[in-house]
Amino acid sequence: MDALPRLPAPPGMLLHRFTVKPRHLDDWLALWPAEADGLRDSGFTLHRLFVETDAEPKVTLLASHPEGLFPDGSTLPVRQPAALAPHVFRNAVTRPVRCELLTSASESSIDGRIAIMRRYAIVGGWDRFLAIWERIVPVRERYGFRCLFAVSDVPHDLFTWAFDFAGAWENFPDAQRGYYADPERVSLREVFHHMADYSIHPARQLLL
């Protein structure tokens, strides 16, 4: 499986996360295009959008702005428009992040594929972790897991990335067996020295 084309890292990358209330996802999805237009009108570029699907819908939005905030100077987090407020919890957080890898989504690239969202609490030094992770990515992609994005929140020691694969969430453990048995991946087990904690969730890729 070929890797998706990599895009240049944009300046002012932001990672925005919040939770949609149970049974409100369809309502939020209906209102989202207007919010996206508003963000673009404010100078944001929208890069990637995901909704985690194994619990309450958790939204991850990758966006960028040259100044890293709203043009009027208001501080983070990104405001939640009144129309969306009944459908989301007030737990939105937006943080500047360093873009390590970025791709774009298209109808053909997401067809029949789910995303796997992974978040790590990093210990033991970012440079050492990233040096190992950069070697892990091509091994994953040889087994059909295409990297979609990766960002580093260095001040909070959080690393967020996602890859996709052709299958369903229940197929994911079996789909990984060959990857984890690969001798090259076995040699990179030291990556766990740098992960104090981690979470893994299936997610829908949404087009922007």
Side-chain angles (χ1 to χ4, degrees):
M1 172 63 63
D2 292 335
L4 294 172
R6 272 42 168 176
L7 302 177
M13 179 68 92
L14 302 168
L15 180 68
H16 183 48
R17 282 173 61 83
F18 61 93
T19 308
V20 177
K21 294 178 180 178
R23 298 180 296 280
H24 284 248
L25 183 58
D26 288 343
D27 294 318
W28 179 83
L29 288 171
L31 293 168
W32 163 249
E35 167 61 0
D37 288 342
L39 289 170
R40 293 187 184 100
D41 290 344
S42 297
F44 286 87
T45 300
L46 309 184
H47 301 284
R48 278 288 197 165
L49 181 64
F50 302 86
V51 178
E52 293 171 20
T53 56
D54 58 336
E56 289 82 8
K58 189 77 173 182
V59 176
T60 297
L61 171 65
L62 285 173
S64 62
H65 191 283
E67 299 176 14
L69 42 75
F70 283 95
D72 64 5
S74 58
T75 57
L76 304 174
V78 170
R79 68 195 187 284
Q80 197 66 260
L84 298 181
H87 308 296
V88 299
F89 291 110
R90 294 190 298 273
N91 62 354
V93 61
T94 306
R95 290 187 177 132
V97 290
R98 185 177 66 205
C99 182
E100 309 293 349
L101 188 151
L102 182 64
T103 68
S104 62
S106 65
E107 288 187 11
S108 60
S109 75
I110 71 174
D111 185 35
R113 304 183 70 86
I114 68 166
I116 306 297
M117 187 72 61
R118 307 190 73 147
R119 287 168 64 80
Y120 304 155
I122 300 301
V123 295
W126 276 95
D127 289 343
R128 283 178 285 179
F129 164 73
L130 287 171
I132 302 169
W133 175 81
E134 288 169 358
R135 294 168 60 195
I136 284 174
V137 169
V139 183
R140 271 233 174 253
E141 294 192 325
R142 284 206 304 268
Y143 286 86
F145 303 101
R146 304 180 306 186
C147 189
L148 306 178
F149 80 90
V151 294
S152 299
D153 180 352
V154 176
H156 295 90
D157 291 321
L158 284 173
F159 182 74
T160 304
W161 71 303
F163 53 82
D164 70 1
F165 86 105
W169 175 238
E170 55 267 25
N171 307 132
F172 182 55
D174 286 341
Q176 292 200 105
R177 295 189 194 282
Y179 160 73
Y180 277 116
D182 187 292
E184 187 174 355
R185 180 60 180 84
V186 171
S187 73
L188 298 171
R189 282 178 177 167
E190 62 190 277
V191 71
F192 287 103
H193 291 312
H194 301 283
M195 295 161 55
D197 197 5
Y198 63 90
S199 63
I200 305 173
H201 298 279
R204 290 171 55 187
Q205 303 181 61
L206 301 180
L207 295 177
L208 291 166

